[in-house]
Amino acid sequence: MLTKFETKSNRVKGLSFHPKRPWILASLHSGVVQLWDYRMGTLIDRFDEHDGPVRGVDFHSNQPLFASGGDDYKIKVWNYKLRRCLFTLLGHLDYIRTVQFHVEHPWIVSASDDQTIRIWNWQSRNCISVLTGHNHYVMCASFHLKDDLVVSASLDQTVRVWDIVALRKKVASPGGPQRPSELDLKIPQMNADLFGGGDAVVKYVLEGHDRGVNWASFHPSLPLIVSGADDRQVKLWRMNDTKAWEVDTLRGHVNNVSCVMFHARQDIIVSNSEDKSIRVWDMSKRSGAQTFRRENDRFWILSAHPNLNLLAAGHDSGMIVFKLERERPAYASHAIMLYYVKDRYLRSFEFESQRDNPLVSVRRPPGGGNNSGFRSLSYNPAENAVLINSDSEGGAYELHVLPKDDGRSGEIGNEPRRGQGVSATFIARNRFAVLDKSTHQILIKDLKNEVTKKCVPPDSTVDAIFYAGTGSLLCRAEDRMILFDVQQRAAMAEITTPLIKYVIWSNDMSLVAMLSKHAIVIANRKLGHACTVHETIRVKSGAWDDRGVFIYTTLNHIKYALPNGDSGIIRTLDNAVYVTKVIGNVVHCLDRDGKNRRIQIDPTEYVFKLALVQRKFDQVLSMIKSNVLCGQSIIAYLQKKGYPEIALHFVKDEQTRFALAVECGNIEVALAAAQALDEKETWHKLGVEALRQGNHQIVEFAYQKTKNFERLSFLYLITGNIEKLQKMLKISEMRADVMGQFHNALYLGDISERVKILESAGHHPLAYVTAKTHGLETDAERIAEELREAGAKVPDVDTSVGELLTPPEPILKEDNWPLLTVSKGFFEGVLSGEVSASQYQMDESEMEGVGGDWGDGDDLDLGIGGDDDEMEKDDPLANILPGGDDEENRSEDGSDAGWDMEDMDLPAADLVSGSQPGSPTGMQAGEMFVAPSAGVDPRQKWTAKSAVAGEHVAAGEFDGAMKLLSRQLGIVNFKPLKQMFVDCAFSSSGVLSGSLSEGDTAKMRVILSRNWDSSDPIGQVKPPNLLSTLPILEEKLKQAYRKVTEGKFSDALNLFVNIIHSITLLSVETRREVDEVKELLAIARDYAVALRIELNRKEVAKSDPNRAAELAAYFTHQNLQPIHSSLSLRSAMTIFYKMQNFQTAAGFSRRLLELNPPANVATQAKQVLQVCEKQNKDAVELNYDSRNPFVVCSGTLTPIYRGTKDLSCSCCGAKYVVEKKDAVCVVCQLGKVGADATGLVVSETQTSSRR
């Protein structure tokens, strides 16, 4: 058995596979119907409107519907897209055991303990036939896939087959009734219920079981029936047009047989039983083939997928989805040939000619092949030999030497040689290795299957070996792969990996891809790690193409992975395939039936990315010009990889164009985009970039557009533009901007104007001081007189220390400053048309005749020895300068003025490294001190590639962290996080004090990394140490739980909100921890919402008792720990009992008793329930419906019933009514209601998997 998915839940009584999507329905004994995605392993939805166990459930074949039947005598039809029950069918008088849709007609068949079978028209919502005849509980009923038959099983020890031809003709034929009401008139409902209609008649009654029959089902294509009963037997029946008879009895179960069915694709029967086993029976041999047991769980139900080789079984504590055998064919490819096993033959397939030949017959492994089939295949091209591995008997292999002409002449190969062991693989021309698990040795054998050498594996946990080149093996240990040299018997290298299942080498053996269940590890020949690609869906197969790109498949996609870690989707798949070879844009693969398929793919995206990685810019340029690429993903990729100038070529959106142009320093494109957008924020960013480049004309233009008068004035000051500065003074006067006037007057050095402004503003003492200091005696006397008249003191002024502040004269008064050089890369120059691509290729002929003043290093008097070749070799600029012989850069006299060689300002380090003792300058060592270049702050490395906000905060990059939190969680209110930001930044570094000399001290700041180890390589920077960690938050959660239990709700609420705030700045290592963080966030949110409800209830308890009662009821529906749920239910029960709402109080009592409370609480709840059931009515009508599922709006604290549109907080996920859109969440106080956000990121594993 290959278990694909498993759940833990209440007892599962009903199962149904969706025919197209990877979904399964499970109906539970608790009354809940669960909808699972078994491929992703996630719960999609749950439906809980039934009262009591739900025993039957079934998907419709093509409508978004499913039906369920339970112990409440109701059949409910649900729409899973709308997530609600559409209607209920009433008519049965006892428990409903099974329900099933007809594949063609709008019918549902149901079986019930009322001893009847009913057929319903779910479109008209009426019962169209009642099948009576059983005289005990009817345990199951089902339609035949093709014929007009129904089979039923009953505890009256019979299996009945019903003929419904008349019903089909009556209801579905063109001459039949057109409206349901006509049909209803033909058969009085009472008679139909009591005696059944004449539309369905018993065709056969199968008697043979000694006890009640629990299940019976049709074969999908043959006239066979299988049944299972409480007599522990499985019986096989055959039928024809006139009779039905027992064929055989299958014995083996030791308790009641719960369910039995035919396998859709194999000649086997599958049954399960209350003896805790699933048994597989061979129909041809009429005997048991396999048995699978559970220790403690009885099995109750089986379900088979209608199209895939999948089965599901429900038991006491959940369900399992499983396969009986592996569907992956064993195969190996070499050059243009594929060798694979199909239908007990080893076959060859030629990729070019599509010729398929059977080569030799292979023996089917013992045990029926179920999970013991052929696992892998190894091919030896030198000897034309094949090794086939199987799982039978703990591991076995077959060695076949193939005919030289691949079997085309009819020549029969040699008799195969067989042996025990796992992972047999060729390692040399005439040697192969096999792992003997019994002795835990690697055996080296020749083609005669004789042992020539024995090796001890490099690790005691090695359980599989893979080919790794001649004389080498890759050994799989618990958590790593080890490169093992067979000759030296030594481990050469190892790499940490998940459990590896398959190993695929590139054509030149330079790269290896190691495939696990959910990850691909790519490494080089010596196991140097290149990248790891994570997948949420199972990885199935892969192959390297000729370019060095790994093409792999998951269950539903063909994808690619580059050696640098970039990955993406090439196309989707309807069914899983196994890649055998990639040739150009064709993927050759095998499907699960062993058929060869050719799939066309578009390699443009990964070829483009590979060319960028390998810096094949001419290839990139041709792809850009051919316009074969487009889409936001390519733009984001180029921007991320540092090629914004290429991304600029693809973008039409002006906002994106502006951002890219600013990033790559293309001020012209940025200006054009800013003019098109004409937004204040855009002009501000343009001004910042233009100022960085020194283009003050565009800075001026940007400031004018944003009306930023203060910055304009300062810009005119530093550029020496006195005329415009005077204009700014006039503008300030017109705007009545006193501070602006004073600043402009200060910049201009206009004392009279400053005095005038101070007077008009009422600052006469300041005006007097200004006038007196700068020698304006007349104005000073006038102002002094005014001060005396006003009775104010005249300030004392020391004129000897005053000095006039005048603006300095600028050095340059040209149109623009010397601009910062923004080097244009290869693409920007070519794409803009300023240069041709050929200009980037310097031809040797262009350098002919260059000498003298151009290339003589002595003329520069730099003291650099050696010839020109050495200088070019050492010079970091040697291969960067474009266009070696540009005429525009030469002066008429041939001097070097055009190149500004004397102003090169070469780095001193370069000069020293190039100095030699015999240089003309005679510079001696030690005459010049060269300060070492500043290193990179480790905190910059924290933020370089990190998308975790907490690491940005630790590095002090608050702005970047806020942008990340805004994008990921939609946070708009950062005030509650302010102190956390500061604390986090301080906690990530420390200060070490030291003494330089007497009286002098020095302080050195050191970073505090997480998981630091003394053996770490020098220069390695690990993630920062953060103030909050997952264990700390888990401890806070326990404290909060205690506060809730103690009834300190305000303190508990503060703790839960603090946990939510701390999670936004958290950083963890593994995917498991990421899941724990998300679970912690959900718990904190649920409790915060619940406590707000309870605190609000206490506030209004006296003023509005009805509202307080509603809030008490809402409190009981929050997702809390059992002890807290018990306390909330007890409180609500008391409140509603006192206000004489007995019916609702009874509901709370029942829910309280289900939680198994302490004896005294249970006694009280039973007493309340007894009283309430006698009254059974509510005295006060409230806004509370316990039967309609709801969530509570965190803003209004009112219920949002299922089917009503709601919104969520972008940060914590709290629910709100639509009227609260764009409001700040009152739970976390951070996010915005209804805002879009990408989701919480607390680990680099999340971003690497997205890539």
Side-chain angles (χ1 to χ4, degrees):
M1 177 190 291
L2 297 173
T3 302
K4 295 297 180 181
F5 174 60
E6 187 166 2
T7 68
K8 298 292 183 184
S9 67
N10 212 304
R11 182 185 301 168
V12 174
K13 299 294 288 184
L15 289 169
S16 177
F17 280 101
H18 194 283
K20 296 174 183 175
R21 297 184 179 181
W23 293 353
I24 186 169
L25 279 169
S27 59
L28 309 185
H29 199 265
S30 62
V32 175
V33 179
Q34 295 178 333
L35 176 58
W36 291 91
D37 186 320
Y38 55 81
R39 183 178 291 174
M40 296 290 291
T42 55
L43 179 64
I44 299 172
D45 212 339
R46 62 196 304 273
F47 309 89
D48 53 358
E49 291 188 19
H50 277 285
D51 187 10
V54 184
R55 299 179 185 272
V57 68
D58 189 48
F59 269 117
H60 194 279
S61 58
N62 49 44
Q63 296 291 329
L65 304 175
F66 71 88
S68 61
D71 286 5
D72 53 3
Y73 315 163
K74 297 175 183 177
I75 299 171
K76 291 181 177 287
V77 178
W78 310 74
N79 186 310
Y80 55 75
K81 284 187 176 179
L82 300 177
R83 302 175 65 185
R84 64 183 179 88
C85 176
L86 299 180
F87 54 87
T88 302
L89 302 174
L90 301 174
H92 279 297
L93 306 176
D94 209 334
Y95 296 171
I96 296 168
R97 293 284 178 172
T98 64
V99 291
Q100 185 196 24
F101 282 102
H102 196 280
V103 293
E104 181 181 347
H105 301 302
W107 296 347
I108 296 173
V109 63
S110 58
S112 171
D113 286 1
D114 63 7
Q115 305 181 14
T116 67
I117 302 154
R118 288 177 178 259
I119 300 177
W120 313 77
N121 185 317
W122 57 264
Q123 288 183 341
S124 65
R125 307 183 185 181
N126 287 309
C127 178
I128 57 175
S129 185
V130 182
L131 285 60
T132 57
H134 284 295
N135 53 32
H136 209 307
Y137 300 163
V138 184
M139 301 301 289
C140 81
S142 60
F143 291 112
H144 195 283
L145 277 177
K146 300 174 183 177
D147 300 331
D148 295 320
L149 298 173
V150 171
V151 65
S152 62
S154 170
L155 294 188
D156 64 6
Q157 304 180 14
T158 66
V159 174
R160 292 178 180 246
V161 179
W162 309 79
D163 190 333
I164 55 171
V165 173
L167 180 65
R168 177 182 59 80
K169 290 180 178 179
K170 185 175 186 178
V171 176
S173 63
Q178 300 300 311
R179 292 181 299 175
S181 58
E182 295 180 20
L183 177 64
D184 296 341
L185 292 172
K186 289 184 179 293
I187 303 175
Q189 189 64 38
M190 184 178 66
N191 291 341
D193 284 352
L194 292 176
F195 308 111
D199 306 325
V201 296
V202 177
K203 191 171 185 180
Y204 314 117
V205 177
L206 309 179
E207 297 178 322
H209 283 289
D210 298 331
R211 291 191 179 182
V213 186
N214 291 315
W215 202 269
S217 58
F218 287 116
H219 192 283
S221 56
L222 299 175
L224 297 174
I225 296 172
V226 66
S227 61
D230 288 349
D231 59 5
R232 307 174 185 180
Q233 297 176 359
V234 174
K235 288 185 179 290
L236 184 64
W237 313 79
R238 182 177 289 274
M239 59 184 181
N240 57 21
D241 292 338
T242 58
K243 63 178 181 178
W245 64 96
E246 181 181 336
V247 175
D248 208 342
T249 299
L250 306 175
R251 295 178 175 86
H253 283 295
V254 294
N255 207 331
N256 303 338
V257 179
S258 306
C259 189
V260 60
M261 59 181 52
F262 294 100
H263 196 284
R265 304 177 68 176
Q266 300 177 36
D267 290 335
I268 57 175
I269 294 169
V270 185
S271 63
N272 65 9
S273 163
E274 294 180 44
D275 64 6
K276 307 170 187 175
S277 72
I278 298 174
R279 289 181 180 262
V280 180
W281 312 85
D282 190 322
M283 285 178 59
S284 57
K285 297 178 181 178
R286 312 277 173 80
S287 62
Q290 285 178 292
T291 302
F292 309 107
R293 300 184 187 277
R294 289 185 74 90
E295 289 185 8
N296 303 311
D297 300 315
R298 297 168 295 174
F299 285 101
W300 298 102
I301 187 67
L302 274 172
S303 179
H305 197 288
N307 305 314
L308 304 178
N309 185 23
L310 283 175
L311 295 168
H315 52 77
D316 281 335
S317 59
M319 67 160 176
I320 53 173
V321 178
F322 62 97
K323 290 181 181 179
L324 292 176
E325 66 177 11
R326 183 174 289 102
E327 294 181 286
R328 177 191 176 100
Y331 66 89
S333 61
H334 175 74
I336 61 170
M337 297 298 295
L338 170 70
Y339 299 90
Y340 66 104
V341 178
K342 179 185 177 185
D343 298 334
R344 303 185 191 178
Y345 278 92
L346 174 63
R347 309 178 71 90
S348 68
F349 176 78
E350 191 173 344
F351 294 118
E352 293 179 355
S353 64
Q354 304 286 298
R355 187 168 61 245
D356 193 327
N357 294 317
L359 301 180
V360 293
S361 172
V362 293
R363 186 176 68 176
R364 182 179 181 180
N370 298 327
N371 198 19
S372 303
F374 302 111
R375 177 176 278 274
S376 62
L377 189 149
S378 177
Y379 176 66
N380 182 349
E383 299 293 337
N384 203 29
V386 170
L387 279 166
I388 305 175
N389 291 291
S390 69
D391 290 337
S392 62
E393 301 173 5
Y397 66 88
E398 288 187 8
L399 173 62
H400 295 266
V401 179
L402 305 179
K404 294 181 180 179
D405 59 354
D406 285 345
R408 288 189 290 273
S409 64
E411 179 186 348
I412 300 174
N414 297 329
E415 183 67 21
R417 292 181 168 87
R418 300 180 175 89
Q420 295 297 310
V422 296
S423 308
T425 182
F426 288 105
I427 59 168
R429 178 186 180 91
N430 56 358
R431 294 287 187 274
F432 67 91
V434 61
L435 179 63
D436 186 348
K437 283 192 172 181
S438 61
T439 62
H440 195 64
Q441 288 184 320
I442 299 175
L443 308 180
I444 309 301
K445 298 187 177 184
D446 58 18
L447 297 185
K448 295 179 182 178
N449 204 24
E450 297 175 351
V451 177
T452 62
K453 189 176 183 179
K454 295 181 179 180
C455 304
V456 178
D459 190 275
S460 60
T461 60
V462 170
D463 59 356
I465 57 175
F466 303 90
Y467 175 69
T470 303
S472 298
L473 291 170
L474 276 175
C475 301
R476 182 180 74 189
E478 277 185 344
D479 58 350
R480 63 192 188 279
M481 295 290 283
I482 304 170
L483 182 61
F484 182 68
D485 190 305
V486 176
Q487 293 294 330
Q488 301 180 34
R489 304 188 183 190
M492 309 305 292
E494 66 177 53
I495 184 172
T496 302
T497 64
L499 183 69
I500 298 300
K501 298 170 67 178
Y502 307 103
V503 171
I504 301 107
W505 288 89
S506 61
N507 297 333
D508 59 358
M509 296 291 291
S510 62
L511 293 170
V512 61
M514 294 169 278
L515 278 58
S516 72
K517 191 174 182 180
H518 291 290
I520 298 168
V521 180
I522 296 179
N524 61 19
R525 180 72 181 81
K526 296 182 179 179
L527 292 193
H529 183 262
C531 68
T532 300
V533 179
H534 295 277
E535 291 289 341
T536 53
I537 305 290
R538 287 188 181 90
V539 179
K540 304 304 289 183
S541 65
W544 293 90
D545 79 344
D546 296 331
R547 304 179 184 89
V549 178
F550 188 66
I551 309 298
Y552 65 98
T553 61
T554 63
L555 279 169
N556 50 6
H557 287 112
I558 298 179
K559 295 188 168 186
Y560 67 84
L562 303 185
N564 70 335
D566 294 327
S567 62
I569 297 173
I570 298 176
R571 62 168 292 168
T572 56
L573 295 170
D574 295 328
N575 297 301
V577 295
Y578 304 92
V579 178
T580 55
K581 188 81 170 176
V582 182
I583 303 175
N585 60 347
V586 176
V587 173
H588 294 270
C589 53
L590 286 167
D591 62 18
R592 283 175 164 166
D593 294 325
K595 296 177 183 177
N596 281 283
R597 292 177 56 189
R598 300 171 80 249
I599 300 177
Q600 294 284 336
I601 63 171
D602 182 4
T604 309
E605 180 180 327
Y606 70 76
V607 170
F608 177 81
K609 292 182 178 180
L610 184 66
L612 266 182
V613 171
Q614 297 177 345
R615 304 185 70 82
K616 295 180 180 178
F617 293 146
D618 53 344
Q619 186 177 350
V620 174
L621 188 62
S622 67
M623 296 181 75
I624 292 171
K625 290 186 173 179
S626 62
N627 289 321
V628 293
L629 288 162
C630 62
Q632 291 295 323
S633 61
I634 286 291
I635 294 165
Y637 178 82
L638 290 168
Q639 190 173 4
K640 176 183 168 187
K641 292 297 179 182
Y643 296 101
E645 70 274 12
I646 311 178
L648 199 57
H649 177 77
F650 295 102
V651 179
K652 304 301 179 189
D653 176 60
E654 293 294 347
Q655 190 74 51
T656 312
R657 279 181 68 81
F658 175 80
L660 291 171
V662 168
E663 185 175 343
C664 62
N666 193 330
I667 206 71
E668 295 84 1
V669 175
L671 177 60
Q675 287 175 324
L677 293 168
D678 198 21
E679 295 174 357
K680 186 174 181 178
E681 182 66 20
T682 306
W683 285 114
H684 172 71
K685 290 179 180 177
L686 177 65
V688 172
E689 176 61 21
L691 190 61
R692 188 186 71 84
Q693 294 187 22
N695 195 329
H696 69 74
Q697 292 176 335
I698 291 181
V699 176
E700 177 186 0
F701 186 53
Y703 288 170
Q704 288 173 351
K705 296 293 279 185
T706 57
K707 293 183 172 58
N708 200 328
F709 298 111
E710 290 183 8
R711 294 193 178 191
L712 264 176
S713 296
F714 191 74
L715 179 68
Y716 293 145
L717 170 68
I718 60 177
T719 56
N721 199 328
I722 303 300
E723 181 182 348
K724 290 188 177 178
L725 202 52
Q726 290 171 343
K727 289 183 178 178
M728 291 303 298
L729 179 59
K730 293 179 180 178
I731 291 172
S732 300
E733 291 176 3
M734 294 169 59
R735 293 175 58 243
D737 181 4
V738 177
M739 283 303 297
Q741 285 178 261
F742 187 80
H743 282 154
N744 286 306
L746 190 65
Y747 296 157
L748 287 166
D750 191 337
I751 303 165
S752 301
E753 187 66 27
R754 283 162 57 192
V755 172
K756 177 184 173 184
I757 293 167
L758 289 170
E759 276 192 275
S760 62
H763 295 287
H764 290 84
L766 282 176
Y768 172 78
V769 171
T770 303
K772 188 70 174 176
T773 302
H774 295 95
L776 300 180
E777 295 295 340
T778 306
D779 291 335
E781 287 297 328
R782 177 176 52 79
I783 297 170
E785 188 64 33
E786 292 176 2
L787 287 171
R788 293 189 191 100
E789 290 177 0
K793 181 181 177 182
V794 178
D796 296 327
V797 179
D798 185 359
T799 57
S800 62
V801 296
E803 186 178 346
L804 178 62
L805 180 66
T806 56
E809 283 289 320
I811 300 171
L812 292 173
K813 286 189 178 181
E814 300 175 358
D815 291 339
N816 222 335
W817 290 337
L819 299 182
L820 175 69
T821 301
V822 180
S823 58
K824 292 188 176 181
F826 173 82
F827 300 103
E828 194 172 0
V830 175
L831 292 173
S832 64
E834 296 176 15
V835 293
S836 64
S838 60
Q839 280 186 267
Y840 283 94
Q841 303 296 327
M842 184 180 291
D843 191 76
E844 291 183 5
S845 61
E846 296 181 8
M847 298 303 294
E848 291 181 5
V850 176
D853 294 338
W854 288 104
D856 191 352
D858 292 342
D859 292 345
L860 291 173
D861 196 22
L862 297 176
I864 300 178
D867 57 19
D868 295 340
D869 293 337
E870 290 176 349
M871 177 181 173
E872 181 178 349
K873 182 178 179 180
D874 293 335
D875 185 7
L877 304 177
N879 295 316
I880 296 177
L881 296 174
D885 195 16
D886 194 341
E887 292 294 338
E888 295 180 3
N889 290 329
R890 288 191 179 184
S891 60
E892 293 179 0
D893 61 357
S895 69
D896 57 3
W899 287 105
D900 290 334
M901 293 293 252
E902 64 271 29
D903 295 327
M904 279 180 68
D905 192 20
L906 288 174
D910 288 351
L911 303 183
V912 175
S913 64
S915 299
Q916 296 180 2
S919 62
T921 61
M923 182 180 292
Q924 299 299 319
E927 288 188 10
M928 181 175 70
F929 170 74
V930 181
S933 57
V936 178
D937 189 336
R939 289 176 293 185
Q940 293 182 16
K941 296 183 180 179
W942 289 344
T943 62
K945 296 181 180 179
S946 175
V948 180
E951 295 181 359
H952 284 253
V953 172
E957 292 287 340
F958 289 2
D959 186 54
M962 290 166 72
K963 289 178 180 177
L964 280 175
L965 290 173
S966 178
R967 182 172 69 248
Q968 294 169 0
L969 296 175
I971 294 180
V972 293
N973 179 28
F974 288 93
K975 188 174 180 181
L977 299 179
K978 179 180 178 181
Q979 191 59 43
M980 282 190 175
F981 271 47
V982 175
D983 294 343
C984 185
F986 277 113
S987 69
S988 65
S989 62
V991 175
L992 296 178
S993 298
S995 177
L996 293 175
S997 61
E998 187 176 352
D1000 292 332
T1001 58
K1003 292 183 179 180
M1004 181 174 68
R1005 183 167 292 277
V1006 293
I1007 63 168
L1008 303 177
S1009 298
R1010 192 163 67 244
N1011 303 328
W1012 180 84
D1013 191 272
S1014 59
S1015 61
D1016 290 340
I1018 296 174
Q1020 180 180 359
V1021 178
K1022 290 196 171 183
N1025 180 51
L1026 298 181
L1027 202 60
S1028 291
T1029 62
L1030 188 56
I1032 290 174
L1033 294 186
E1034 288 174 345
E1035 189 59 36
K1036 278 188 181 179
L1037 180 65
K1038 293 176 183 177
Q1039 293 176 16
Y1041 281 160
R1042 285 195 292 271
K1043 294 289 185 184
V1044 175
T1045 306
E1046 294 167 2
K1048 299 176 181 178
F1049 296 145
S1050 297
D1051 295 342
L1053 177 60
N1054 292 335
L1055 279 171
F1056 285 117
V1057 173
N1058 181 266
I1059 290 172
I1060 296 173
H1061 292 175
S1062 300
I1063 285 173
T1064 62
L1065 304 182
L1066 201 60
S1067 177
V1068 295
E1069 304 290 338
T1070 64
R1071 297 286 298 188
R1072 182 182 61 80
E1073 289 178 321
V1074 172
D1075 295 337
E1076 290 178 4
V1077 171
K1078 291 181 178 178
E1079 183 181 359
L1080 181 60
L1081 177 61
I1083 292 171
R1085 177 202 62 223
D1086 292 343
Y1087 265 88
V1089 173
L1091 293 174
R1092 290 190 71 256
I1093 294 172
E1094 180 62 10
L1095 290 170
N1096 194 269
R1097 181 192 70 81
K1098 292 190 174 184
E1099 289 178 6
V1100 301
K1102 294 182 179 179
S1103 60
D1104 190 351
N1106 290 356
R1107 174 62 176 162
E1110 291 174 354
L1111 292 171
Y1114 304 157
F1115 190 33
T1116 67
H1117 287 266
Q1118 302 309 302
N1119 190 11
L1120 307 178
Q1121 292 290 306
I1123 183 174
H1124 302 145
S1125 294
S1126 176
L1127 291 170
S1128 68
L1129 286 165
R1130 190 177 177 186
S1131 172
M1133 177 184 72
T1134 304
I1135 292 170
F1136 276 76
Y1137 180 80
K1138 288 181 178 179
M1139 69 187 305
Q1140 298 185 0
N1141 274 29
F1142 298 117
Q1143 187 175 5
T1144 309
F1148 293 137
S1149 303
R1150 294 189 192 98
R1151 289 170 57 194
L1152 179 58
L1153 290 170
E1154 289 174 2
L1155 296 175
N1156 295 321
N1160 59 333
V1161 178
T1163 303
Q1164 183 189 22
K1166 289 175 182 176
Q1167 291 172 350
V1168 171
L1169 181 60
Q1170 188 176 5
V1171 174
C1172 291
E1173 284 180 340
K1174 292 179 181 178
Q1175 305 289 337
N1176 201 27
K1177 65 179 180 178
D1178 288 341
V1180 181
E1181 186 176 347
L1182 300 174
N1183 182 17
Y1184 171 63
D1185 183 357
S1186 61
R1187 292 165 295 182
N1188 194 353
F1190 65 88
V1191 295
V1192 175
C1193 170
S1194 300
T1196 61
L1197 299 184
T1198 55
I1200 307 173
Y1201 291 103
R1202 182 170 294 177
T1204 307
K1205 188 176 181 182
D1206 58 23
L1207 298 175
S1208 299
C1209 167
S1210 58
C1211 178
C1212 67
K1215 296 294 184 181
Y1216 288 87
V1217 293
V1218 292
E1219 290 77 13
K1220 291 290 182 178
K1221 182 174 173 57
D1222 295 334
V1224 175
C1225 175
V1226 297
V1227 178
C1228 65
Q1229 302 161 17
L1230 302 174
K1232 184 163 72 171
V1233 177
D1236 292 329
T1238 58
L1240 177 67
V1241 177
V1242 292
S1243 172
E1244 285 301 307
T1245 59
Q1246 294 173 269
T1247 55
S1248 61
S1249 63
R1250 289 174 186 174
R1251 291 196 289 268

